[in-house]
Amino acid sequence: QVQLVESGGGSVQAGGSLRLSCAASGSIFSVNAMGWYRQAPGKQRELVATINSGGNTNYADSVKGRFTISKDNAKNTVTLQMNSLKPGDTAVYYCHLNGRLSSLGYGREYWGQGTQVSVSS
């Protein structure tokens, strides 16, 4: 099975930076994509940023120009560099992976436990 472990969350003042990391472990045959989602109090869960096996990235409009997603294929890790943080970025951030456990399987969804990011004004 696959396990995702996030790290790097915390509390910062507006304008500060944080770096979130997610490490995937277990028997992974292939990874289709990895990314980050977040859920703030009173809001729906939303996509923050994703990166697929080809290196193509996708960002929410609200974070473009401030956040950068990157990956290490050999280690199955994904990192989210968050700069110029705003109070509106406050949320629980979840790591996500879509991948296959075998050549015969289909892509399955895996989620981390979540890490809190709090930004104060």
Side-chain angles (χ1 to χ4, degrees):
Q1 292 187 309
V2 177
Q3 183 176 20
L4 304 178
V5 179
E6 303 109 326
S7 63
S11 299
V12 298
Q13 293 185 335
S17 298
L18 285 173
R19 183 182 177 94
L20 304 182
S21 296
C22 175
S25 62
S27 182
I28 305 174
F29 178 76
S30 63
V31 175
N32 296 324
M34 295 187 72
W36 293 91
Y37 293 72
R38 69 186 182 187
Q39 186 165 21
K43 296 185 178 181
Q44 300 180 42
R45 186 185 67 180
E46 65 175 351
L47 181 149
V48 178
T50 61
I51 183 166
N52 67 13
S53 60
N56 297 314
T57 59
N58 185 35
Y59 295 92
D61 288 340
S62 60
V63 307
K64 288 181 179 178
R66 300 188 297 120
F67 292 7
T68 302
I69 189 169
S70 60
K71 66 174 182 175
D72 185 329
N73 290 332
K75 298 180 179 180
N76 285 333
T77 60
V78 63
T79 299
L80 185 69
Q81 179 66 47
M82 305 185 294
N83 298 326
S84 301
L85 284 163
K86 304 175 181 179
D89 296 319
T90 296
V92 176
Y93 285 68
Y94 297 92
C95 181
H96 173 262
L97 181 152
N98 179 278
R100 300 165 65 195
L101 300 183
S102 73
S103 62
L104 301 178
Y106 56 90
R108 293 179 179 269
E109 309 291 335
Y110 301 93
W111 294 91
Q113 81 286 351
T115 185
Q116 178 71 48
V117 171
S118 299
V119 184
S120 60
S121 60

